[in-house]
Amino acid sequence: MRTQTVLLSLALLAPFATADLLNVSPTGPFLQIQGAVDAAQDGDVILVAGGDYAPVTIVDKALTVAALAGATVRIQHQLEVSGLSAGKTVVLRGL
């Protein structure tokens, strides 16, 4: 049973095996969420430290954008997702 659980876990994580992790924080490497979005490729994960950030627009990229655990992230005005091709999704957590 344990072998099946491990194999199932690996199968579920496989799509993320090639994803890059981009970090946004007041000390960098990305100072704004938009900079990380612009640098990201489909499937990447953007982790955001607590703070205030400029508006964000995600156009036709399959991304996960998530606040670090316990962080308070405030985006001024709006976060816009547009022009997603069929089959692409954007996951937003803690924003």
Side-chain angles (χ1 to χ4, degrees), residues 64-88:
T64 297
V65 183
L68 291 173
T72 300
V73 173
R74 289 175 296 278
I75 298 173
Q76 301 168 3
H77 305 289
Q78 68 182 9
L79 187 152
E80 179 181 350
V81 178
S82 65
L84 285 180
S85 300
K88 289 187 179 182

Side-chain angles (χ1 to χ4, degrees), residues 30-81:
F30 292 97
L31 301 177
Q32 290 293 325
I33 299 168
Q34 188 65 57
V37 167
D38 293 344
Q41 301 294 315
D42 284 341
D44 286 351
V45 176
I46 299 171
L47 292 179
V48 184
D52 296 317
Y53 295 96
V56 178
T57 302
I58 301 170
V59 179
D60 197 30
K61 289 189 179 182
L63 302 174
T64 297
V65 183
L68 291 173
T72 300
V73 173
R74 289 175 296 278
I75 298 173
Q76 301 168 3
H77 305 289
Q78 68 182 9
L79 187 152
E80 179 181 350
V81 178

